[in-house]
Amino acid sequence: MALGSVLLEILQRPTTGKLLSELLISVIPLWVAVAIGVLVGWVWKPKWASNLSKGILLDAKQGGEFSATTLGTMIPSLNILKFLPSCVFWAADDGGIQTDSFSVPRTLNSKCSSSKMEKEKSNLVMEDDLEHLCKLVEVKDGGPAWIQMMDRSTPTMNYQAWRRDPETGPPQYRSRTVFEDATPEMVRDFFWDDEFRAKWDDMLVHAETLEECPTRGTMVVQWVRKFPFFCSDREYIIGRRIWESGRLYYCVTKGVPCSSVPRRNKPRRVDLYYSSWCIRPVESKRGNGELTACEVTLFHHEDMGIPWEIAKLGVRQGMWGAVKKLEPGLRAYQKHRASAAPLSQSALMAQINTKVSADYLRSLETSISDSSEIEIQETSEKPVGHNVPKFLVIGGAVALACTLERGLLTKALIFGLARKFAIGRRS
């Protein structure tokens, strides 16, 4: 305000010479202050300033791009840029951040040789994974109690779902689905058949087999799944294998490292991924005593790079809509198989199982000491450690919305979901 008053007083003077002279007198102190500031700043120049200037010049010479990650490396105090939500860098196509366009490199499918499989066996699906799945199925893995989220049904399908929040890691989900008039073998092939999955799973935009072992049935596949419009698609490198005991099938799929497929900005790779299930015949709800129904007990968790509270809200709101797509897909698959159509390669691999005895499975069960619990119903009284105050939910939504560049529609959606979530937890 002081500088503005001085300029206003000068401009009110009638003489041009005095006007110019007093303007010059007013500007000189400003230039002196700027010169002193530049001199002092150059003498006390911090180390990161030199690194920053060298980095910009080096990127300019090499024709590269200067990224936030590079800036965080050169300026230690800005290392927090590395931990910003992933949606900041992958959400907007019009947000000004340039990323690689999606193109999945073609990779040669390789039948497993003993040397290669032995070299990478620690990265694939092994007996330890079978033991872990058995513990989950028997609810004796020692984890937190399961809280029931849903119990829905159709005339030919029953569905129940539970959730639990471990001390570390993303939320974990457990579900039990019973399909009427379906065999375990048909359901096993249905979930394994990537070629047919594209016909009923509209979130799957790409599936490719990277490696397969015809002796044990182990596979490494690449998936790219479509995510909501405010986040980029996600890439999965999945190792999977099936164990068989009579008509009981333990199907394990999990994220594994793969050096042959380079990482890209888009789609973003999901490293922490676990989705495994147990399939077995059960009695039909018709009460005729026949094992004409099939039960699938699924355990799933993954770190998608989305705040977990928002991910939990999305799962809760969209779970039944996604589950309802399973049964039409299964019935279409049954008709497809009844038409004597040739089996896809992934469906053929689903029939290569590692056989284990019932005694071996019982030995795994006897080695389990700790047990988890299943709560019958999700109530409004949550454990204290998992209560999220309303202001924290709204604040998180504000922070997320401010990082996105998708305009008012995205922000309105986020605020609406956050408000509904906060009200739901309060009521």
Side-chain angles (χ1 to χ4, degrees):
M1 290 299 294
L3 181 59
S5 300
V6 172
L7 291 176
L8 182 59
E9 181 182 352
I10 292 173
L11 292 175
Q12 289 174 348
R13 304 280 177 106
T15 306
T16 304
K18 291 183 179 181
L19 177 65
L20 293 177
S21 63
E22 294 197 29
L23 275 175
L24 182 60
I25 293 173
S26 299
V27 170
I28 287 177
L30 296 177
W31 282 108
V32 171
V34 170
I36 294 175
V38 171
L39 179 61
V40 173
W42 185 260
V43 173
W44 289 347
K45 180 175 60 175
K47 189 175 181 179
W48 60 260
S50 300
N51 296 336
L52 179 61
S53 59
K54 291 178 182 178
I56 294 176
L57 292 175
L58 182 60
D59 284 349
K61 289 180 180 180
Q62 296 178 352
E65 294 182 357
F66 192 68
S67 63
T69 304
T70 306
L71 182 61
T73 303
M74 294 177 180
I75 308 177
S77 62
L78 295 184
N79 280 336
I80 193 173
L81 290 173
K82 299 178 182 179
F83 305 101
L84 288 176
S86 60
C87 293
V88 176
F89 299 103
W90 289 284
D93 296 332
D94 55 352
I97 297 177
Q98 296 182 358
T99 53
D100 296 337
S101 59
F102 167 61
S103 67
V104 178
R106 294 182 59 85
T107 56
L108 297 177
N109 295 345
S110 57
K111 309 300 180 183
C112 74
S113 62
S114 59
S115 60
K116 184 171 184 178
M117 291 297 291
E118 288 298 325
K119 182 178 179 181
E120 298 185 355
K121 68 179 181 179
S122 61
N123 297 334
L124 298 180
V125 188
M126 306 302 293
E127 277 67 22
D128 290 345
D129 298 293
L130 171 62
E131 181 177 357
H132 178 60
L133 179 56
C134 288
K135 292 179 180 180
L136 290 172
V137 172
E138 298 300 324
V139 200
K140 296 180 179 179
D141 65 308
W146 294 98
I147 301 173
Q148 188 170 21
M149 299 172 55
M150 184 174 295
D151 189 350
R152 304 286 291 270
S153 64
T154 67
T156 54
M157 183 186 74
N158 292 338
Y159 180 78
Q160 296 173 296
W162 297 262
R163 190 199 76 242
R164 68 182 183 183
D165 298 304
E167 294 183 359
T168 59
Q172 299 177 0
Y173 297 92
R174 175 183 186 267
S175 68
R176 176 181 178 270
T177 310
V178 177
F179 298 102
E180 294 289 332
D181 302 317
T183 64
E185 293 75 22
M186 183 67 68
V187 175
R188 174 201 62 188
D189 296 353
F190 169 67
F191 283 118
W192 228 245
D193 196 333
D194 290 341
E195 288 81 353
F196 193 86
R197 176 181 285 270
K199 298 181 180 180
W200 62 270
D201 186 355
D202 55 6
M203 290 186 65
L204 184 67
V205 297
H206 177 84
E208 180 179 355
T209 301
L210 304 177
E211 296 180 10
E212 57 186 26
C213 181
T215 58
R216 290 187 294 182
T218 307
M219 300 179 68
V220 178
V221 299
Q222 179 192 43
W223 280 9
V224 176
R225 295 186 68 80
K226 184 191 307 180
F227 265 57
F229 61 90
F230 53 84
C231 288
S232 66
D233 294 345
R234 296 298 193 261
E235 176 193 40
Y236 300 80
I237 306 296
I238 301 172
R240 60 192 193 184
R241 184 178 175 186
I242 301 176
W243 283 265
E244 172 189 352
S245 179
R247 299 191 69 194
L248 184 66
Y249 298 94
Y250 291 90
C251 309
V252 176
T253 75
K254 66 175 187 177
V256 297
C258 183
S259 58
S260 63
V261 181
R263 292 179 180 270
R264 296 172 178 266
N265 287 345
K266 296 178 65 176
R268 181 187 180 186
R269 183 169 298 178
V270 175
D271 293 312
L272 178 55
Y273 173 83
Y274 182 85
S275 188
S276 301
W277 51 93
C278 175
I279 305 174
R280 60 183 175 183
V282 293
E283 183 179 349
S284 171
K285 67 179 181 180
R286 301 186 185 97
N288 53 16
E290 297 181 2
L291 301 179
T292 56
C294 177
E295 177 191 79
V296 181
T297 305
L298 168 71
F299 301 89
H300 181 96
H301 66 268
E302 62 179 286
D303 189 353
M304 301 175 287
I306 297 175
W308 293 339
E309 289 297 332
I310 294 179
K312 281 163 44 174
L313 176 62
V315 170
R316 186 180 183 89
Q317 296 297 324
M319 177 179 288
W320 180 239
V323 170
K324 286 192 297 185
K325 297 179 182 178
L326 280 175
E327 188 180 14
L330 175 61
R331 304 310 175 188
Y333 191 68
Q334 289 176 319
K335 294 179 181 179
H336 171 73
R337 293 286 293 269
S339 66
L343 292 179
S344 66
Q345 181 61 25
S346 54
L348 290 172
M349 292 297 296
Q351 300 179 6
I352 304 175
N353 309 145
T354 302
K355 292 180 172 54
V356 294
S357 65
D359 293 337
Y360 177 73
L361 294 177
R362 279 193 292 269
S363 69
L364 296 180
E365 296 176 9
T366 56
S367 66
I368 301 170
S369 56
D370 297 331
S371 62
S372 303
E373 298 177 356
I374 296 181
E375 294 187 11
I376 297 178
Q377 186 175 2
E378 186 174 32
T379 63
S380 59
E381 296 183 0
K382 303 293 191 303
V384 175
H386 300 300
N387 277 333
V388 180
K390 179 180 179 180
F391 76 89
L392 186 58
V393 176
I394 300 298
V398 171
L400 179 62
C402 291
T403 61
L404 301 181
E405 298 292 342
R406 283 283 186 172
L408 294 176
L409 180 59
T410 302
K411 293 175 174 59
L413 175 63
I414 293 173
F415 287 135
L417 290 176
R419 180 175 178 273
K420 183 175 181 180
F421 177 63
I423 293 175
R425 295 186 72 93
R426 183 181 58 184
S427 59

